[in-house]
Amino acid sequence: MTRETWMNVTALAVLLGVPLWALAADEPFIITLATRAAIFALAGVGLNLALGTGGLVSLGHAAFFGIGGYAMGILASHAQAFAPIMEAPFLIEGTKSMPMIWLVAMLSSALAALAIGALSLRTSGVYFIMITLAFGQMIYYFAISWPAYGGEDGLSIYVRNEFPGLNTLVPMQFFGVCFVILCLALLLMNAIHKSAFGLALSAARQNETRVLSVGMKPYNLRLVAFVISGAVTGLAGALFADLNRFVSPTMLSWQMSGEIIIFIIIGGVGRLFGPVIGAMIFILLEHTLGGLSEFWHVYLGALLLGIVLFAKGGVIGALAGREKAHD
């Protein structure tokens, strides 16, 4: 195996081993931290398809993260209140079923990504960055002015949603759900990267003219990647809202988009496990340095500066070299 493959296996082992140790040591808070890392990694895995493979720097991916969160919040809040979401022209009720919530979250985020991507991908470079940011902020301010679901104060959920055969109130069992979903997302992204579609998307990033010359349309390739990316990020948002039993407009803010990008940069842009390692490092810094100073982001900024200047391939690139495990 390559060095990167060993790093990938080690990252998964650490992400799984830490909560297992915490379970034995009766430290449920550590399990919750590991769950946050797994969810943030999932969001990063979604964005990495657009950013790492497609070369699309999106500052609006928090929109999909938040849409997934609000899909969960709306469905669960109506279920706990025993009030339908809509009665006419047809009945739509709330639900506490995790699989159903995930499906709605992914479809909602995918539709939003389709609409936003169809317009944003007509631009490129800094214009693409700014238009995705603009769309994200539009949705953010809409959520703030949506009093039916808490507006600026957010929406609290007093129940933990259900998964067949599990007690999701048990921290370790909820972590297991998030961990399995993350592993499935990694397998999906690895399959996409190795597929004809993934190779064409990567080629469009490197040389758009050559892709056009063989009869493929880079716009269509990027739009499909953007939609898949949005759906996976929306699923992460639904899990994050379920973890906190709370959803608010902060999930839609540009700061959240920036954090998801940070996960990828720390681990390695375009590396399959880059978001996983990046999210783990981010949570570790937040937990250890956040207790020392409220300005712990200064240290995070120093880390990012070091990576950008001296290790453009992120932690994985610095330790494993240029060779990629999924090449």
Side-chain angles (χ1 to χ4, degrees), residues 11-82:
L12 276 185
V14 171
L15 184 58
L16 179 60
V18 167
L20 288 174
W21 167 83
L23 179 65
D26 194 23
E27 294 283 354
F29 178 68
I30 301 298
I31 300 176
T32 300
L33 287 179
T35 306
R36 280 171 57 88
I39 293 171
F40 282 152
L42 179 64
V45 166
L47 176 57
N48 202 29
L49 175 64
L51 175 60
T53 308
L56 304 173
V57 182
S58 170
L59 265 181
H61 254 59
F64 313 130
F65 190 74
I67 287 172
Y70 270 94
M72 172 270 167
I74 291 170
L75 289 169
S77 64
H78 281 273
Q80 73 182 13
F82 301 100

Side-chain angles (χ1 to χ4, degrees), residues 9 67 69 72 109 129 150 178 230 306 325-326:
V9 172
I67 287 172
M72 172 270 167
S109 300
I129 296 172
C178 298
H326 53 193

Side-chain angles (χ1 to χ4, degrees), residues 224-273:
V224 171
F226 198 75
V227 170
I228 296 173
S229 175
V232 174
T233 306
L235 175 58
L239 291 170
F240 187 72
D242 221 340
L243 172 66
N244 299 319
R245 281 182 277 180
F246 178 74
V247 60
S248 74
T250 57
M251 291 181 64
L252 296 153
S253 67
W254 67 268
Q255 290 94 335
M256 179 59 71
S257 293
E259 287 187 2
I260 299 174
I261 293 176
I262 286 172
F263 307 150
I264 299 173
I265 293 174
I266 291 176
V269 177
R271 305 278 180 162
L272 180 63
F273 275 70

Side-chain angles (χ1 to χ4, degrees), residues 52-322:
T53 308
L56 304 173
V57 182
S58 170
L59 265 181
H61 254 59
F64 313 130
F65 190 74
I67 287 172
Y70 270 94
M72 172 270 167
I74 291 170
L75 289 169
S77 64
H78 281 273
Q80 73 182 13
F82 301 100
I85 298 173
M86 179 187 297
E87 294 184 348
F90 45 82
L91 179 65
I92 300 179
E93 296 183 318
T95 180
K96 294 188 290 183
S97 169
M98 281 187 175
M100 182 60 67
I101 288 171
W102 297 342
L103 178 62
V104 173
M106 293 180 70
L107 287 176
S108 301
S109 300
L111 288 173
L114 178 62
I116 293 173
L119 296 173
S120 302
L121 288 169
R122 298 182 184 279
T123 64
S124 61
V126 68
Y127 301 103
F128 176 80
I129 296 172
M130 295 311 296
I131 197 170
T132 55
L133 173 62
F135 275 116
Q137 290 301 101
M138 286 169 58
I139 298 174
Y140 168 75
Y141 284 110
F142 174 79
I144 285 180
S145 60
W146 199 6
Y149 297 106
E152 191 171 5
D153 295 327
L155 179 65
S156 295
I157 308 299
Y158 303 107
V159 297
R160 173 61 60 79
N161 293 310
E162 302 166 351
F163 190 88
L166 296 177
N167 180 3
T168 54
L169 284 171
V170 177
M172 192 63 199
Q173 294 194 28
F174 187 71
F175 167 80
V177 170
C178 298
F179 182 79
V180 169
I181 291 175
L182 173 61
C183 291
L184 292 174
L186 289 167
L187 288 173
L188 172 64
M189 293 304 168
N190 187 53
I192 289 175
H193 185 86
K194 292 181 177 179
S195 68
F197 167 76
L199 295 173
L201 180 63
S202 182
R205 184 194 76 242
Q206 297 173 34
N207 194 317
E208 185 173 323
T209 304
R210 290 185 179 179
V211 173
L212 286 168
S213 68
V214 296
M216 291 184 289
K217 296 182 179 180
Y219 175 87
N220 294 343
L221 295 169
R222 290 167 179 156
L223 183 58
V224 171
F226 198 75
V227 170
I228 296 173
S229 175
V232 174
T233 306
L235 175 58
L239 291 170
F240 187 72
D242 221 340
L243 172 66
N244 299 319
R245 281 182 277 180
F246 178 74
V247 60
S248 74
T250 57
M251 291 181 64
L252 296 153
S253 67
W254 67 268
Q255 290 94 335
M256 179 59 71
S257 293
E259 287 187 2
I260 299 174
I261 293 176
I262 286 172
F263 307 150
I264 299 173
I265 293 174
I266 291 176
V269 177
R271 305 278 180 162
L272 180 63
F273 275 70
V276 179
I277 293 176
M280 291 168 62
I281 292 174
F282 182 90
I283 293 297
L284 179 63
L285 291 175
E286 183 183 46
H287 177 59
T288 56
L289 299 179
L292 300 176
S293 170
E294 61 179 310
F295 304 109
W296 70 273
H297 288 88
V298 173
Y299 305 104
L300 176 64
L303 173 62
L304 283 174
L305 184 61
I307 288 174
V308 171
L309 292 177
F310 305 110
K312 293 185 179 180
V315 172
I316 295 178
L319 298 178
R322 293 187 176 183

